[in-house]
Amino acid sequence: MYRKTWMEVNLDKIENNLKTLKAICNKRIIAVLKADAYGCGDIHVARAVVEAGAQMIAVSSLDEALVLRNEGYQGKLLILGASEASDIPMMIKENISCTAYSMDWVKLAIRQDCHGLNVHLKVDTGMNRIGFRDIHELNQAFSLLKDAQCSMEGIFTHFCCADSDIDLTNKQFARFKEAVESIPYTFPWVHCDNSDATAFFKEDTSNACRIGISLYGISTYAKDLEYPISLYTKVFMTKHMHAGETIGYGATYTAGENEIIATLPIGYADGFIRANQGRKVYVDGEYATVVGRVCMDQTMIHINKDVPIGTPVEIFGEHISLEDMANELHTIPYEIICLISGRVTRRYIWHHQIQDEENSRLVKSLQSR
Ligand SMILES: *Cc1c(COP(=O)(O)O)cnc(C)c1O
């Protein structure tokens, strides 16, 4: 890596978080690694969660599933989202499980050779996204797929408010239980709990939990989770301002007497969005403020004392939590980490050592040289 802006991903801590949650729910764990493991690098996180005991990995699309297969992950792999029925031959060939989510999909699917396709039925219990709302239709879909020689591997639902509304979660769960019990068949995989439900919701209908965000230490209920990810950059220039001079596009900030401004190689193209203007970063033992507009590739901060070129700057991590950053930006931690772009180098720590520094775009370009 040449540009000094990097996201640190501590895979040991991700493993510990998985083990903590597995001990709480005492069920099999499906690690949800969609969107490149929430921006953290799917194959790296995959290796760690498998080592920690995850027995299935879930992603959102066939494209994401194929990335993991191509990178060498050979274990159980489920597409949670919608897939095209026309892609069934590929899913069979690569042994990737898919989700049956509507009668339209089922009808298209059974027109093809489905022999050996692993299917999880999606029950919509109130999220109203994908899935069967009607139990009769769900049963019909089950029979059609089973008759078409699909392997009926699982049944699942997704809670919309596990972090905030226990009554609604209970209602959704009751519908799910009813749906599962309406089908005279024992599914190998029955799953409904996301991270937050895994940490507090006690039920014995499901036999596996799907955890995503809590791998990264974020949880409404679980204590004792660790924070594995941090985002850093480095100061590459400082300058002393005269009173009245302005900073950046739009001249939105005017310096007072003897202000020191440091420039950082991070901007909105890295996922450090413009709404960060006015927020804090942490540098050389104290907090500093982002002043002026965040640019595409650079950001200016106001510091109280001059620091050497190359001084590290924490965007979030030990001193600024991801949760605080999300609150200040009126969003959720998921969005912050998913937005950290491919331009930012990922530094992996695993087995207490720096394993790999990866800048995916640079790596790809070197491979094609
Ligand atoms: C994203 C997702 C999850 C994981 O949710 P977290 O809140 O990150 O644990 C689980 N199930 C489905 C269907 C999802 O889309």
Side-chain angles (χ1 to χ4, degrees), residues 244-259:
E245 291 180 312
T246 64
I247 316 288
Y249 287 121
T252 59
Y253 181 81
T254 305
E257 201 59 56
N258 297 326
E259 267 190 36

Side-chain angles (χ1 to χ4, degrees), residues 32 34 38 58 60 80-81 122 129 156-159 191-196 198 210-216 334:
V32 180
K34 63 197 181 197
Y38 295 22
S60 77
L80 294 168
K122 176 71 182 278
R129 194 165 62 176
F156 72 108
T157 194
H158 191 47
F159 295 136
H191 44 110
C192 55
D193 300 331
N194 59 1
S195 290
D196 275 334
T198 298
R210 297 188 307 270
I211 56 173
I213 197 71
S214 284
L215 293 172
Y216 312 106
Y334 302 70

Side-chain angles (χ1 to χ4, degrees), residues 4 65 70 82 116 131 135 169 192 227 246 250 265 289 293 307 315 332 344:
K4 303 297 182 212
N70 294 342
I135 285 200
T169 305
C192 55
Y227 291 110
T246 64
T289 310
R293 297 237 167 99
V307 297
I315 305 295
I332 50 177
V344 175

Side-chain angles (χ1 to χ4, degrees), residues 78 96-100 105 114 116-122 145 150-155 187:
L78 167 65
I96 293 166
S97 308
C98 66
T99 293
W105 185 89
C114 287
L117 177 67
N118 290 321
V119 176
H120 291 230
L121 288 175
K122 176 71 182 278
L145 292 166
C150 290
S151 159
M152 301 310 290
E153 187 178 61
I155 185 165
F187 291 92

